Amino acid sequence: MFKFQISIYFLLVSIFLVYNAVFFNLFSYKQANFDTENNKFEPPVAQNSAIINGRLILVLIDALRYDFIFESNVAKEKLRMPFVNRVIREQKAIPFKLIANPPTVTLPRLKALVSGIIPEFIDILWNFNTTYLAEDNIIRQFNLQNSPVIFYGDDTWLKLFRPNESFVRYEGTTSFMASDYDQVDFNVTRHLAFELEQTDWKVMILHYLGLDHVGHIEGPYAPFNIRRKLHEMDEIIKKIYSNLNRNDLMLVLSDHGMANEGGHGGSSHMEITTPLLLLSKGLFGSKFTYADDQKFNSLIENIKEKKQIDLVSTLSCLFGLNVPYHNKGTVFLSDLTEYFDKSLRNYSLEANCLVRNWKQLDRLLDLGQHEIELVRMLDKKSLADAEEFLKIKVESKVKVENIKSEQNKFLILLILIMFMLLFVYAIDQSNSRPFTNPFSCLLALLIFLSKQTFIKALLFTF
Ligand SMILES: [Zn+2]
């Protein structure tokens, strides 16, 4: 019995040491991040590095599936979003698909959209309850450039940022009741008429929740309400579009899709695949026309896929901003600017964007001594090749990081299991001799000292 107790002691102490080593590691990792937040952000880039000089309008429709908005082989009178269909046909809008990382829930997806970050196990463990976005992001970059941002919609945004510092005007809507399909959207739309007349903002963000609510309760095949909400959204897009200036860029997008069974959160194809539509009155030249149905259907069936985290670097480039510090996405300019009106193309600005994205990712991930190769490709005017080169370099780095993260996850799990075994043992001991057993006292102390992370890890893992 005595020998057994000694070995338990030994086990306890070693677990305690490993536990502390791991969490000290994680803690210092986070500390390093906060340090960069406070001190090492770069000054804003020069104003004349913007490819687009107009305004940016983001219309985020929560849980908008790509098949809701991109409809092929559908008779005109049966289209759910006839205006969207028309502008794509007329080359006034360019469609993409954005692939989101799971979990397909709103908060992490919004973080990915505005900052290009992929939360790892460690981040989730450490930030279990924090909604506030400590990482650098595009709203912050617009603010640094003195470009006023206005926001109306899902109040998650107001928790993500410090609204008084980030937005010149804003109002949040709460998704308090999922059965509310209309009021929650009306509370966004009622600001439109006023805001479309104002000239003091550079960026307008709208986040509509009604469609998501329908999806949660009735699913994506609800015969009446899905069509009704999509039609309402189509009218809103039309209204905003008709008020655009020639150089404005409007984006219609979503944070995540919707499962065939309704709702979201998982990693099914329809949940992770989201639509992105870029609309403008004057930016895109008429390189192609899709008047005939066959061409149009083939366009819709072959829409290019990008990653959700790639959007923020691309927008930063287009609007002449620094790519957010913690971004892990890469720009997709070449697939976009090929649609631009020839008079608006400026290759040196586009190449410059890619170099900025490279420098930012190199600082974050250490891409090695390859910048010279990138510059050589850019000198040969092969923007697409250079983009692909950057993408491959980043993906291989992120893969290594993921393996490390998996190893950490395994270690933490192992420690948790040992903790639980000891817990059971300690309870067993204290039952026979309450408060006299040194193991149970020590264990209770350990659990008390580390309870916050312990509980977080426990909640997250199971
Ligand atoms: Zn959502």
Side-chain angles (χ1 to χ4, degrees):
M1 186 61 196
F2 182 70
K3 243 185 186 174
F4 181 63
Q5 284 199 347
I6 291 290
S7 60
I8 289 285
Y9 256 127
F10 182 72
L11 194 63
L12 245 178
V13 170
S14 44
I15 287 173
F16 183 69
L17 289 177
V18 175
Y19 178 88
N20 273 298
V22 171
F23 280 99
F24 180 74
N25 211 335
L26 304 191
F27 186 66
S28 53
Y29 160 85
K30 263 295 157 193
Q31 281 298 94
N33 258 2
F34 282 122
D35 198 32
T36 56
E37 250 96 61
N38 294 331
N39 305 315
K40 292 177 199 155
F41 285 142
E42 295 162 287
V45 287
Q47 201 106 38
N48 57 9
S49 52
I51 295 174
I52 295 177
N53 291 306
R55 300 174 297 177
L56 172 66
I57 294 101
L58 287 177
V59 181
L60 199 155
I61 303 171
D62 210 285
L64 181 71
R65 278 162 62 121
Y66 73 86
D67 63 339
F68 285 168
I69 176 166
F70 304 141
E71 296 182 286
S72 61
N73 292 312
V74 175
K76 235 180 193 167
E77 59 283 0
K78 287 198 168 167
L79 286 167
R80 292 180 287 190
M81 301 186 86
F83 176 75
V84 163
N85 190 280
R86 202 186 87 202
V87 282
I88 298 175
R89 274 179 193 266
E90 289 173 0
Q91 271 287 290
K92 299 290 181 200
I94 302 167
F96 285 99
K97 287 178 188 168
L98 293 182
I99 309 299
N101 289 72
T104 48
V105 288
T106 301
L107 180 68
R109 302 286 48 85
L110 289 184
K111 286 186 176 178
L113 279 169
V114 297
S115 67
I117 54 173
I118 321 166
E120 287 162 25
F121 176 72
I122 291 169
D123 298 293
I124 295 169
L125 193 63
W126 209 254
N127 295 313
F128 195 75
N129 278 321
T130 50
T131 317
Y132 179 70
L133 180 64
E135 284 83 0
D136 191 15
N137 58 76
I138 195 165
I139 306 297
R140 185 179 174 280
Q141 289 298 335
F142 272 118
N143 286 332
L144 280 177
Q145 204 198 41
N146 294 320
S147 297
V149 183
I150 57 172
F151 170 79
Y152 297 98
D154 184 357
D155 66 355
T156 308
W157 286 78
L158 305 183
K159 296 170 193 153
L160 214 53
F161 303 99
R162 295 192 181 100
N164 289 325
E165 292 165 26
S166 306
F167 309 119
V168 287
R169 285 186 296 281
Y170 64 89
E171 189 182 72
T173 56
T174 324
S175 51
F176 188 58
M177 282 197 314
S179 58
D180 168 20
Y181 296 167
D182 296 301
Q183 190 64 38
V184 78
D185 285 348
F186 173 75
N187 286 342
V188 179
T189 309
R190 69 192 166 109
H191 297 281
L192 261 186
F194 171 79
E195 291 297 357
L196 289 173
E197 279 174 11
Q198 307 308 306
T199 51
D200 64 340
W201 53 265
K202 167 86 174 178
V203 182
M204 174 162 78
I205 302 168
L206 308 173
H207 186 155
Y208 283 97
L209 285 168
L211 182 72
D212 178 63
H213 290 181
V214 178
H216 278 290
I217 292 185
E218 302 182 34
Y221 305 113
F224 177 69
N225 279 320
I226 291 282
R227 174 174 287 274
R228 184 174 67 83
K229 288 308 286 184
L230 289 176
H231 202 77
E232 179 191 335
M233 293 296 119
D234 195 54
E235 286 295 319
I236 288 162
I237 294 165
K238 186 177 173 181
K239 183 177 179 181
I240 299 171
Y241 185 83
S242 67
N243 280 279
L244 292 184
N245 299 327
R246 281 190 65 76
N247 286 334
D248 292 346
L249 179 69
M250 174 180 175
L251 265 57
V252 176
L253 74 168
S254 190
D255 48 349
H256 49 74
M258 190 190 288
N260 290 336
E261 304 76 36
H264 54 88
S267 49
S268 73
H269 174 72
M270 293 314 286
E271 286 166 282
I272 60 167
T273 313
T274 68
L276 168 67
L277 191 67
L278 298 104
L279 303 94
S280 176
K281 274 186 175 167
L283 291 173
F284 310 132
S286 304
K287 190 174 163 191
F288 317 100
T289 47
Y290 297 107
D292 97 78
D293 285 340
Q294 209 180 345
K295 266 189 187 165
F296 177 78
N297 289 337
S298 126
L299 168 80
I300 294 300
E301 276 147 31
N302 298 296
I303 292 175
K304 284 185 177 148
E305 288 185 359
K306 305 290 172 190
K307 286 190 203 148
Q308 189 179 47
I309 54 162
D310 292 344
L311 182 67
V312 75
S313 49
T314 307
L315 284 180
S316 303
C317 273
L318 291 175
F319 286 89
L321 307 167
N322 270 328
V323 181
Y325 195 93
H326 304 92
N327 160 68
K328 284 183 183 166
T330 59
V331 292
F332 55 97
L333 273 184
S334 58
D335 281 337
L336 191 59
T337 49
E338 67 164 332
Y339 292 95
F340 274 37
D341 192 277
K342 275 204 181 74
S343 64
L344 294 167
R345 292 291 302 268
N346 183 332
Y347 182 76
S348 71
L349 283 184
E350 292 170 23
N352 196 292
C353 272
L354 202 60
V355 174
R356 285 214 308 276
N357 193 192
W358 174 281
K359 285 188 191 298
Q360 173 263 325
L361 284 161
D362 188 29
R363 201 171 38 225
L364 190 74
L365 301 168
D366 187 14
L367 300 178
Q369 312 287 325
H370 299 288
E371 193 176 329
I372 187 89
E373 292 166 60
L374 183 92
V375 172
R376 209 173 294 145
M377 286 177 197
L378 289 173
D379 285 345
K380 281 192 213 148
K381 300 228 162 188
S382 42
L383 188 68
D385 291 344
E387 281 179 4
E388 190 61 25
F389 181 70
L390 172 60
K391 196 172 137 192
I392 290 167
K393 286 275 172 264
V394 170
E395 275 171 3
S396 65
K397 270 285 170 185
V398 169
K399 212 175 268 172
V400 173
E401 280 203 341
N402 286 346
I403 293 169
K404 272 190 205 156
S405 160
E406 281 303 306
Q407 286 166 346
N408 276 337
K409 197 170 168 177
F410 179 72
L411 201 58
I412 292 167
L413 257 177
L414 203 71
I415 293 168
L416 279 177
I417 291 167
M418 287 177 138
F419 251 128
M420 270 183 293
L421 286 177
L422 279 168
F423 194 57
V424 172
Y425 174 76
I427 287 173
D428 189 48
Q429 288 291 308
S430 57
N431 274 347
S432 50
R433 285 170 293 166
F435 304 113
T436 53
N437 188 291
F439 303 134
S440 53
C441 291
L442 187 57
L443 193 66
L445 186 71
L446 282 185
I447 291 175
F448 177 77
L449 285 176
S450 51
K451 73 170 193 286
Q452 211 186 343
T453 13
F454 180 76
I455 290 167
K456 273 186 201 171
L458 207 66
L459 280 174
F460 181 75
T461 321
F462 300 100

